[in-house]
Amino acid sequence: MSIAPEPKNLDVLQNLESAVIELWRSHPEMSDHVVGRAYEAAFERYRTEMRGHQVVPCKLTGLDREVFDALFPLCEWRLGRAEVEGMPEGVGATIPVADMVDCLRELKKSVERHTKNGGRQGYLQFVARFI
């Protein structure tokens, strides 16, 4: 039996997942569906940018929007475009937009996989064990 390789940009995935878990701890009613919608919105935003199209503002509301708003500054920080309070400068290499799109795609797949296996908070419960 072989061990699965570590995902590319694991540090970026962990940054984004940490933001989600921190918010979940404040909103225990949050479901994987909420997280999936926020990851999808971020994915679409950066994929649109990568393709050179006009980026439209995020239309999420409520808790979905709170999750997106927690993710977005970290995405921008990892892209080298912004500073994030509490995150030291120079920690973690900046990545290209294409890599951010790949990271968000991987996170969306992870939500689907863990929700299928663990129920409405399967992804959140799985990730929280590591953060």
Side-chain angles (χ1 to χ4, degrees):
M1 180 175 202
S2 65
I3 296 174
E6 221 174 71
K8 182 179 177 187
N9 293 311
L10 182 61
D11 56 331
V12 176
L13 299 173
Q14 290 171 334
N15 289 151
L16 300 178
E17 289 175 327
S18 291
V20 167
I21 295 304
E22 185 176 322
L23 193 58
W24 179 47
R25 290 178 176 147
S26 300
H27 296 279
E29 74 280 8
M30 192 163 83
S31 69
D32 292 355
H33 180 72
V34 168
V35 178
R37 286 179 42 87
Y39 285 153
E40 177 67 26
F43 170 81
E44 289 297 331
R45 188 243 181 265
Y46 289 111
R47 186 173 72 165
T48 298
E49 178 184 328
M50 183 178 72
R51 292 178 172 175
H53 298 290
Q54 180 70 32
V55 175
V56 296
C58 176
K59 294 182 181 180
L60 295 177
T61 60
L63 193 50
D64 297 9
R65 181 60 187 241
E66 283 188 57
V67 176
F68 177 86
D69 288 345
L71 294 171
F72 185 71
L74 289 170
C75 292
E76 291 292 294
W77 175 66
R78 291 313 304 252
L79 291 166
R81 301 177 181 170
E83 293 181 19
V84 173
E85 188 176 322
M87 300 299 265
E89 288 185 46
V91 173
T94 59
I95 63 170
V97 174
D99 284 1
M100 182 59 69
V101 169
D102 289 343
C103 287
L104 291 163
R105 181 181 295 115
E106 182 62 35
L107 290 170
K108 289 183 344 167
K109 288 179 187 176
S110 184
V111 169
E112 291 170 13
R113 183 172 49 252
H114 291 290
T115 302
K116 182 179 179 182
N117 294 332
R120 68 180 298 274
Q121 290 184 327
Y123 169 78
L124 291 164
Q125 292 171 354
F126 174 79
V127 173
R129 296 185 315 196
F130 303 101
I131 296 179

